[in-house]
Amino acid sequence: MPRTPLYKAAETEMIRRIEAGDWPVGMRLGNEFQLAEEFGVSQGTMRRALMTLEAMGLLSRKPGRGTLVAAPAPVMTTGGGGAGGLVTPEGDAPQFEIHRAKALTRGADGDQAALFGSGRLSVSERVLKLGGVRAALDEIAVPEALAPALDEDAPVDLHDFLSAHGLSPVTLEDTLCASITTMGESVTLSCDRYTPLLVLTRVARGADGAVIGRQVLRVADPDLEYRPGG
């Protein structure tokens, strides 16, 4: 079994501490040398791990302030698809391929109920590939009253997905956070247990301000990052 890179092990443990509340929002971390010593890695390895968590929005690193645990901040965009989102190292939108998909209807769970209310939802659940490798888990939920059935082959971009179902999103609100794969997710994505995930939650609203769709995209590809619209 291949050995987990040291920087990846450090990333995973730091994310675990943030998720567990061991490192609460606002906590000031030690400097690179102190953290490298604590985690038993070189400063270069620790610097790489810190840069990754900063890109995920979990850490804030400012000259004179040090490294702080950051709170996920929503980014409001007002255009269509492409106003902001994931990009490759070359700055292009990733061309996801649908590996596996299923569409279903169900009642809203806790956080969905807070967003959509108590009505039933149409849900699309998909495993996405990038460059032939399983790279992300995608879940899109839409009120059943607006779309009784979802097309499993509709575009991954939420704006385009909703447009394909005759819906017209006016605003998109993105929230970023990070997580670690569960056992089931690691099996589905064919990756190591506790692989860091960049989680993009995108909420679309119609002209009246009502929520017409929500996407949760859980990305395991370490080369993708989020770029807000300008």
Side-chain angles (χ1 to χ4, degrees):
M1 185 175 181
R3 183 180 178 184
T4 301
L6 291 176
Y7 76 90
K8 188 65 67 177
E11 289 173 15
T12 299
E13 175 57 20
M14 287 192 287
I15 292 173
R16 187 201 65 77
R17 293 185 186 187
I18 293 171
E19 283 198 322
D22 298 336
W23 286 1
V25 171
M27 177 179 174
R28 187 185 304 275
L29 304 184
N31 58 36
E32 286 182 4
F33 176 80
Q34 293 168 327
L35 290 170
E37 186 174 34
E38 177 182 351
F39 283 81
V41 299
S42 69
Q43 279 187 258
T45 296
M46 178 51 62
R47 184 176 301 115
R48 179 171 179 177
L50 290 171
M51 289 174 63
T52 297
L53 266 70
E54 183 181 20
M56 288 179 168
L58 288 176
L59 298 179
S60 173
R61 306 175 74 203
K62 301 289 185 182
R65 293 181 55 211
T67 300
L68 303 177
V69 178
V75 180
M76 178 67 78
T77 62
T78 56
L86 298 173
V87 296
T88 66
E90 294 73 31
D92 302 320
Q95 300 302 307
F96 288 115
E97 300 173 3
I98 299 171
H99 171 63
R100 190 165 64 238
K102 68 176 178 179
L104 61 150
T105 59
R106 65 178 181 221
D109 60 21
D111 62 334
Q112 290 174 336
L115 193 64
F116 291 103
S118 59
R120 291 184 62 80
L121 301 174
S122 296
V123 180
S124 168
E125 296 178 349
R126 302 185 287 192
V127 181
L128 306 177
K129 280 186 172 182
L130 187 62
V133 177
R134 299 180 201 178
L137 302 173
D138 178 45
E139 180 189 83
I140 296 178
V142 179
E144 187 180 24
L146 298 180
L150 298 182
D151 179 3
E152 298 174 358
D153 296 320
V156 173
D157 180 87
L158 181 60
H159 182 279
D160 295 342
F161 182 97
L162 294 173
S163 296
H165 291 84
L167 301 174
S168 301
V170 174
T171 62
L172 302 172
E173 181 181 302
D174 294 349
T175 304
L176 297 176
C177 66
S179 185
I180 299 172
T181 54
T182 63
M183 180 62 75
E185 289 170 341
S186 63
V187 171
T188 300
L189 291 169
S190 295
C191 62
D192 293 335
R193 179 74 170 93
Y194 305 121
T195 293
L197 296 173
L198 174 63
V199 183
L200 168 61
T201 300
R202 172 166 284 183
V203 174
R205 298 180 185 272
D208 61 355
V211 176
I212 61 174
R214 186 188 77 165
Q215 178 178 40
V216 180
L217 192 60
R218 303 170 67 82
V219 182
D221 189 319
D223 293 328
L224 296 182
E225 64 179 47
Y226 179 85
R227 182 173 299 173

mmCIF file of all heavy atoms in Angstrom, residues 149-179:
data_model
loop_
_atom_site.group_PDB
_atom_site.id
_atom_site.type_symbol
_atom_site.label_atom_id
_atom_site.label_comp_id
_atom_site.label_asym_id
_atom_site.label_seq_id
_atom_site.Cartn_x
_atom_site.Cartn_y
_atom_site.Cartn_z
ATOM 1 N N ALA A 149 -38.789 15.713 -11.684
ATOM 2 C CA ALA A 149 -37.775 14.713 -12.019
ATOM 3 C C ALA A 149 -36.537 15.435 -12.534
ATOM 4 O O ALA A 149 -36.648 16.414 -13.286
ATOM 5 C CB ALA A 149 -38.291 13.744 -13.076
ATOM 6 N N LEU A 150 -35.370 14.960 -12.119
ATOM 7 C CA LEU A 150 -34.120 15.589 -12.530
ATOM 8 C C LEU A 150 -33.403 14.744 -13.569
ATOM 9 O O LEU A 150 -33.426 13.510 -13.518
ATOM 10 C CB LEU A 150 -33.204 15.804 -11.313
ATOM 11 C CG LEU A 150 -33.747 16.725 -10.209
ATOM 12 C CD1 LEU A 150 -32.717 16.880 -9.106
ATOM 13 C CD2 LEU A 150 -34.151 18.086 -10.776
ATOM 14 N N ASP A 151 -32.761 15.415 -14.501
ATOM 15 C CA ASP A 151 -31.989 14.762 -15.550
ATOM 16 C C ASP A 151 -30.598 14.459 -15.005
ATOM 17 O O ASP A 151 -29.831 15.372 -14.688
ATOM 18 C CB ASP A 151 -31.902 15.687 -16.766
ATOM 19 C CG ASP A 151 -31.086 15.092 -17.900
ATOM 20 O OD1 ASP A 151 -30.629 13.941 -17.772
ATOM 21 O OD2 ASP A 151 -30.913 15.792 -18.919
ATOM 22 N N GLU A 152 -30.251 13.171 -14.906
ATOM 23 C CA GLU A 152 -28.958 12.778 -14.352
ATOM 24 C C GLU A 152 -27.789 13.260 -15.212
ATOM 25 O O GLU A 152 -26.658 13.363 -14.734
ATOM 26 C CB GLU A 152 -28.887 11.249 -14.213
ATOM 27 C CG GLU A 152 -29.928 10.680 -13.261
ATOM 28 C CD GLU A 152 -29.922 9.155 -13.260
ATOM 29 O OE1 GLU A 152 -29.130 8.575 -14.023
ATOM 30 O OE2 GLU A 152 -30.697 8.565 -12.497
ATOM 31 N N ASP A 153 -28.050 13.542 -16.491
ATOM 32 C CA ASP A 153 -26.990 13.964 -17.409
ATOM 33 C C ASP A 153 -26.906 15.474 -17.570
ATOM 34 O O ASP A 153 -26.140 15.957 -18.419
ATOM 35 C CB ASP A 153 -27.206 13.322 -18.782
ATOM 36 C CG ASP A 153 -27.103 11.812 -18.739
ATOM 37 O OD1 ASP A 153 -26.215 11.313 -18.017
ATOM 38 O OD2 ASP A 153 -27.909 11.125 -19.404
ATOM 39 N N ALA A 154 -27.648 16.234 -16.780
ATOM 40 C CA ALA A 154 -27.613 17.691 -16.869
ATOM 41 C C ALA A 154 -26.232 18.203 -16.455
ATOM 42 O O ALA A 154 -25.485 17.516 -15.753
ATOM 43 C CB ALA A 154 -28.696 18.299 -15.992
ATOM 44 N N PRO A 155 -25.856 19.413 -16.881
ATOM 45 C CA PRO A 155 -24.521 19.942 -16.559
ATOM 46 C C PRO A 155 -24.240 19.973 -15.063
ATOM 47 O O PRO A 155 -25.151 20.094 -14.242
ATOM 48 C CB PRO A 155 -24.560 21.357 -17.145
ATOM 49 C CG PRO A 155 -25.596 21.301 -18.218
ATOM 50 C CD PRO A 155 -26.635 20.341 -17.722
ATOM 51 N N VAL A 156 -22.946 19.907 -14.721
ATOM 52 C CA VAL A 156 -22.535 19.935 -13.319
ATOM 53 C C VAL A 156 -22.703 21.330 -12.732
ATOM 54 O O VAL A 156 -23.097 21.476 -11.568
ATOM 55 C CB VAL A 156 -21.070 19.455 -13.178
ATOM 56 C CG1 VAL A 156 -20.577 19.639 -11.745
ATOM 57 C CG2 VAL A 156 -20.955 17.997 -13.602
ATOM 58 N N ASP A 157 -22.406 22.358 -13.511
ATOM 59 C CA ASP A 157 -22.576 23.730 -13.023
ATOM 60 C C ASP A 157 -24.025 23.963 -12.614
ATOM 61 O O ASP A 157 -24.953 23.695 -13.389
ATOM 62 C CB ASP A 157 -22.184 24.716 -14.124
ATOM 63 C CG ASP A 157 -22.332 26.158 -13.670
ATOM 64 O OD1 ASP A 157 -21.377 26.691 -13.091
ATOM 65 O OD2 ASP A 157 -23.422 26.729 -13.891
ATOM 66 N N LEU A 158 -24.247 24.476 -11.397
ATOM 67 C CA LEU A 158 -25.611 24.589 -10.876
ATOM 68 C C LEU A 158 -26.471 25.525 -11.723
ATOM 69 O O LEU A 158 -27.649 25.231 -11.978
ATOM 70 C CB LEU A 158 -25.586 25.066 -9.424
ATOM 71 C CG LEU A 158 -26.963 25.205 -8.759
ATOM 72 C CD1 LEU A 158 -27.709 23.877 -8.739
ATOM 73 C CD2 LEU A 158 -26.831 25.766 -7.345
ATOM 74 N N HIS A 159 -25.922 26.649 -12.160
ATOM 75 C CA HIS A 159 -26.699 27.572 -12.991
ATOM 76 C C HIS A 159 -27.188 26.869 -14.253
ATOM 77 O O HIS A 159 -28.367 26.944 -14.621
ATOM 78 C CB HIS A 159 -25.844 28.790 -13.344
ATOM 79 C CG HIS A 159 -26.563 29.821 -14.163
ATOM 80 N ND1 HIS A 159 -26.719 29.713 -15.529
ATOM 81 C CD2 HIS A 159 -27.193 30.981 -13.807
ATOM 82 C CE1 HIS A 159 -27.396 30.740 -15.975
ATOM 83 N NE2 HIS A 159 -27.689 31.534 -14.951
ATOM 84 N N ASP A 160 -26.270 26.154 -14.920
ATOM 85 C CA ASP A 160 -26.629 25.460 -16.157
ATOM 86 C C ASP A 160 -27.561 24.279 -15.887
ATOM 87 O O ASP A 160 -28.448 23.972 -16.689
ATOM 88 C CB ASP A 160 -25.376 24.984 -16.878
ATOM 89 C CG ASP A 160 -24.507 26.143 -17.348
ATOM 90 O OD1 ASP A 160 -25.021 27.277 -17.422
ATOM 91 O OD2 ASP A 160 -23.314 25.920 -17.616
ATOM 92 N N PHE A 161 -27.368 23.609 -14.754
ATOM 93 C CA PHE A 161 -28.227 22.490 -14.363
ATOM 94 C C PHE A 161 -29.668 22.971 -14.218
ATOM 95 O O PHE A 161 -30.612 22.356 -14.743
ATOM 96 C CB PHE A 161 -27.719 21.888 -13.049
ATOM 97 C CG PHE A 161 -28.488 20.690 -12.564
ATOM 98 C CD1 PHE A 161 -28.029 19.405 -12.823
ATOM 99 C CD2 PHE A 161 -29.658 20.838 -11.821
ATOM 100 C CE1 PHE A 161 -28.730 18.295 -12.366
ATOM 101 C CE2 PHE A 161 -30.359 19.733 -11.362
ATOM 102 C CZ PHE A 161 -29.892 18.459 -11.639
ATOM 103 N N LEU A 162 -29.845 24.077 -13.496
ATOM 104 C CA LEU A 162 -31.196 24.592 -13.276
ATOM 105 C C LEU A 162 -31.805 25.104 -14.579
ATOM 106 O O LEU A 162 -32.996 24.903 -14.835
ATOM 107 C CB LEU A 162 -31.159 25.697 -12.224
ATOM 108 C CG LEU A 162 -30.765 25.245 -10.812
ATOM 109 C CD1 LEU A 162 -30.591 26.451 -9.892
ATOM 110 C CD2 LEU A 162 -31.783 24.273 -10.236
ATOM 111 N N SER A 163 -30.989 25.758 -15.403
ATOM 112 C CA SER A 163 -31.487 26.250 -16.687
ATOM 113 C C SER A 163 -31.980 25.104 -17.562
ATOM 114 O O SER A 163 -32.977 25.236 -18.281
ATOM 115 C CB SER A 163 -30.390 27.028 -17.415
ATOM 116 O OG SER A 163 -30.024 28.188 -16.696
ATOM 117 N N ALA A 164 -31.280 23.951 -17.478
ATOM 118 C CA ALA A 164 -31.684 22.776 -18.265
ATOM 119 C C ALA A 164 -33.031 22.241 -17.812
ATOM 120 O O ALA A 164 -33.687 21.491 -18.551
ATOM 121 C CB ALA A 164 -30.621 21.684 -18.152
ATOM 122 N N HIS A 165 -33.458 22.617 -16.587
ATOM 123 C CA HIS A 165 -34.759 22.172 -16.076
ATOM 124 C C HIS A 165 -35.793 23.292 -16.119
ATOM 125 O O HIS A 165 -36.824 23.231 -15.437
ATOM 126 C CB HIS A 165 -34.597 21.641 -14.648
ATOM 127 C CG HIS A 165 -33.837 20.354 -14.562
ATOM 128 N ND1 HIS A 165 -32.459 20.299 -14.532
ATOM 129 C CD2 HIS A 165 -34.268 19.060 -14.545
ATOM 130 C CE1 HIS A 165 -32.072 19.036 -14.477
ATOM 131 N NE2 HIS A 165 -33.146 18.265 -14.480
ATOM 132 N N GLY A 166 -35.507 24.349 -16.893
ATOM 133 C CA GLY A 166 -36.474 25.425 -17.071
ATOM 134 C C GLY A 166 -36.533 26.410 -15.925
ATOM 135 O O GLY A 166 -37.492 27.178 -15.822
ATOM 136 N N LEU A 167 -35.507 26.421 -15.066
ATOM 137 C CA LEU A 167 -35.480 27.333 -13.929
ATOM 138 C C LEU A 167 -34.469 28.445 -14.191
ATOM 139 O O LEU A 167 -33.467 28.237 -14.880
ATOM 140 C CB LEU A 167 -35.124 26.575 -12.647
ATOM 141 C CG LEU A 167 -36.076 25.436 -12.289
ATOM 142 C CD1 LEU A 167 -35.561 24.662 -11.084
ATOM 143 C CD2 LEU A 167 -37.478 25.969 -12.012
ATOM 144 N N SER A 168 -34.716 29.612 -13.604
ATOM 145 C CA SER A 168 -33.882 30.777 -13.890
ATOM 146 C C SER A 168 -33.260 31.335 -12.613
ATOM 147 O O SER A 168 -33.850 32.201 -11.941
ATOM 148 C CB SER A 168 -34.718 31.874 -14.571
ATOM 149 O OG SER A 168 -35.278 31.399 -15.774
ATOM 150 N N PRO A 169 -32.069 30.865 -12.257
ATOM 151 C CA PRO A 169 -31.402 31.408 -11.073
ATOM 152 C C PRO A 169 -30.941 32.841 -11.308
ATOM 153 O O PRO A 169 -30.432 33.176 -12.369
ATOM 154 C CB PRO A 169 -30.197 30.469 -10.884
ATOM 155 C CG PRO A 169 -29.959 29.870 -12.232
ATOM 156 C CD PRO A 169 -31.294 29.786 -12.894
ATOM 157 N N VAL A 170 -31.154 33.694 -10.311
ATOM 158 C CA VAL A 170 -30.767 35.101 -10.419
ATOM 159 C C VAL A 170 -29.506 35.379 -9.607
ATOM 160 O O VAL A 170 -28.631 36.139 -10.028
ATOM 161 C CB VAL A 170 -31.919 36.013 -9.957
ATOM 162 C CG1 VAL A 170 -31.485 37.475 -9.923
ATOM 163 C CG2 VAL A 170 -33.117 35.848 -10.889
ATOM 164 N N THR A 171 -29.412 34.783 -8.420
ATOM 165 C CA THR A 171 -28.217 34.948 -7.595
ATOM 166 C C THR A 171 -27.690 33.587 -7.171
ATOM 167 O O THR A 171 -28.449 32.616 -7.022
ATOM 168 C CB THR A 171 -28.478 35.788 -6.334
ATOM 169 O OG1 THR A 171 -29.444 35.118 -5.504
ATOM 170 C CG2 THR A 171 -28.973 37.170 -6.696
ATOM 171 N N LEU A 172 -26.373 33.526 -6.965
ATOM 172 C CA LEU A 172 -25.717 32.333 -6.464
ATOM 173 C C LEU A 172 -24.900 32.718 -5.244
ATOM 174 O O LEU A 172 -24.196 33.730 -5.256
ATOM 175 C CB LEU A 172 -24.786 31.735 -7.530
ATOM 176 C CG LEU A 172 -25.416 31.347 -8.865
ATOM 177 C CD1 LEU A 172 -24.321 30.973 -9.857
ATOM 178 C CD2 LEU A 172 -26.392 30.194 -8.687
ATOM 179 N N GLU A 173 -24.994 31.913 -4.213
ATOM 180 C CA GLU A 173 -24.202 32.166 -3.005
ATOM 181 C C GLU A 173 -23.350 30.944 -2.734
ATOM 182 O O GLU A 173 -23.871 29.836 -2.566
ATOM 183 C CB GLU A 173 -25.100 32.456 -1.805
ATOM 184 C CG GLU A 173 -24.317 32.745 -0.526
ATOM 185 C CD GLU A 173 -25.226 33.006 0.665
ATOM 186 O OE1 GLU A 173 -26.048 33.941 0.584
ATOM 187 O OE2 GLU A 173 -25.119 32.253 1.645
ATOM 188 N N ASP A 174 -22.048 31.127 -2.705
ATOM 189 C CA ASP A 174 -21.114 30.026 -2.484
ATOM 190 C C ASP A 174 -20.536 30.084 -1.079
ATOM 191 O O ASP A 174 -20.190 31.169 -0.586
ATOM 192 C CB ASP A 174 -19.951 30.094 -3.478
ATOM 193 C CG ASP A 174 -20.391 29.851 -4.908
ATOM 194 O OD1 ASP A 174 -21.553 29.434 -5.113
ATOM 195 O OD2 ASP A 174 -19.578 30.080 -5.813
ATOM 196 N N THR A 175 -20.419 28.933 -0.449
ATOM 197 C CA THR A 175 -19.753 28.816 0.839
ATOM 198 C C THR A 175 -18.735 27.700 0.743
ATOM 199 O O THR A 175 -19.040 26.613 0.253
ATOM 200 C CB THR A 175 -20.745 28.509 1.979
ATOM 201 O OG1 THR A 175 -21.754 29.523 2.012
ATOM 202 C CG2 THR A 175 -20.036 28.483 3.315
ATOM 203 N N LEU A 176 -17.517 27.967 1.210
ATOM 204 C CA LEU A 176 -16.445 26.984 1.163
ATOM 205 C C LEU A 176 -16.117 26.487 2.557
ATOM 206 O O LEU A 176 -16.117 27.246 3.521
ATOM 207 C CB LEU A 176 -15.174 27.603 0.569
ATOM 208 C CG LEU A 176 -15.216 28.086 -0.871
ATOM 209 C CD1 LEU A 176 -13.896 28.744 -1.209
ATOM 210 C CD2 LEU A 176 -15.490 26.932 -1.801
ATOM 211 N N CYS A 177 -15.819 25.210 2.644
ATOM 212 C CA CYS A 177 -15.270 24.650 3.864
ATOM 213 C C CYS A 177 -14.463 23.422 3.459
ATOM 214 O O CYS A 177 -14.316 23.117 2.284
ATOM 215 C CB CYS A 177 -16.359 24.302 4.884
ATOM 216 S SG CYS A 177 -17.472 22.974 4.389
ATOM 217 N N ALA A 178 -13.908 22.746 4.407
ATOM 218 C CA ALA A 178 -13.143 21.536 4.124
ATOM 219 C C ALA A 178 -13.646 20.409 5.007
ATOM 220 O O ALA A 178 -14.247 20.625 6.058
ATOM 221 C CB ALA A 178 -11.654 21.766 4.358
ATOM 222 N N SER A 179 -13.427 19.207 4.558
ATOM 223 C CA SER A 179 -13.847 18.035 5.303
ATOM 224 C C SER A 179 -12.851 16.915 5.027
ATOM 225 O O SER A 179 -11.839 17.125 4.349
ATOM 226 C CB SER A 179 -15.270 17.622 4.883
ATOM 227 O OG SER A 179 -15.740 16.554 5.673
#
